[in-house]
Amino acid sequence: MPFVFAVKNPTRTASVLAIVTAYSSREVETDSTPYLTAHLTPVRKGIAACPRKIPFHTEVIIAGQIYTCEDRMAQRYRNGNYFDIWKSTTEEAYEFGRQELEVSIK
C-alpha cells in the first residue's frame, strides 16, 4: 500500500480558550537572543509564541488579528493554552496585559 500524505484543510479551524499575554524584545522577557524567534526568524509584527503542540508557521487568530507561530512559550507554560504575542515596545506589551481570549487555530 502506498504512503499517503495528509493535507491540512485550509478552511478548517479549531478554537480554544487561552491565556494570551504580550512580550517585547528584552532579554528579561525572552532569552539571550531577544530579536530572534525560536524558529530563528526576526521578531516582527504578527508573530506569536505558541505552545509546542502547535507547529511553526501555523496561523492563529487572536482578537481579530492573524499571527504566525514562529516562537515558543517558556517551558513552564508547556502544558496549557498559553500564547504570547510580540509587541515592538515594552509599554505596548504591558498595556496588552494578560487576557483570557478565544484563539482560533488554522
Side-chain angles (χ1 to χ4, degrees), residues 77-93:
Y77 299 111
R78 68 177 175 241
N79 292 325
N81 291 325
Y82 295 95
F83 293 81
D84 212 3
I85 56 176
W86 182 82
K87 298 288 186 179
S88 60
T89 67
T90 303
E91 292 77 23
E92 287 178 288

Side-chain angles (χ1 to χ4, degrees), residues 43-55:
V43 292
R44 61 199 178 282
K45 184 177 178 179
I47 294 299
C50 301
R52 285 168 169 69
K53 62 187 171 189
I54 298 176

